[in-house]
Amino acid sequence: MRSAAPFLLLALAAGGAGAPALEGQTGRQGTVRGQVVDESTGEGVRTVEVQFMDGRTRILASTLTDADGWFTLGPVASGPFRLRVIRIGYERVITPY
């Protein structure tokens, strides 16, 4: 039995180093796409809740990952944001700004 919950890794389809970026920005909205994977196996994790949070950490949008761990959030407002990923049996992950 494991003594600690395994970690989830969040790989964003858009953005590079630093804060996550919005892709397909039009005006003040865009789309965030990515995949949530199990750190130990590298495989996508299904039914993970992915929450889009503003600068005050208010949840503005959320979705669940598909069978391969992929998700799409949008349209969402541009600007600083964080993503929080939650699944029972895993440690919670929150991206930095």
Side-chain angles (χ1 to χ4, degrees), residues 8-91:
L8 294 171
L9 296 176
L10 182 65
L12 295 176
L22 298 178
E23 71 177 41
Q25 286 184 336
T26 57
R28 299 187 52 89
Q29 293 191 330
T31 302
V32 179
R33 291 183 173 88
Q35 184 182 30
V36 179
V37 298
D38 183 295
E39 181 182 49
S40 61
T41 66
E43 294 181 13
V45 181
R46 75 168 103 211
T47 64
V48 175
E49 183 176 8
V50 180
Q51 300 172 336
F52 180 89
M53 300 183 299
D54 68 5
R56 294 183 174 175
T57 64
R58 292 179 297 189
I59 299 168
L60 301 179
S62 66
T63 191
L64 294 175
T65 58
D66 68 13
D68 297 316
W70 289 98
F71 68 91
T72 300
L73 283 164
V76 292
S78 63
F81 69 92
R82 298 177 101 173
L83 295 177
R84 177 168 45 199
V85 293
I86 303 168
R87 183 150 193 314
I88 294 173
Y90 289 89
E91 289 203 24

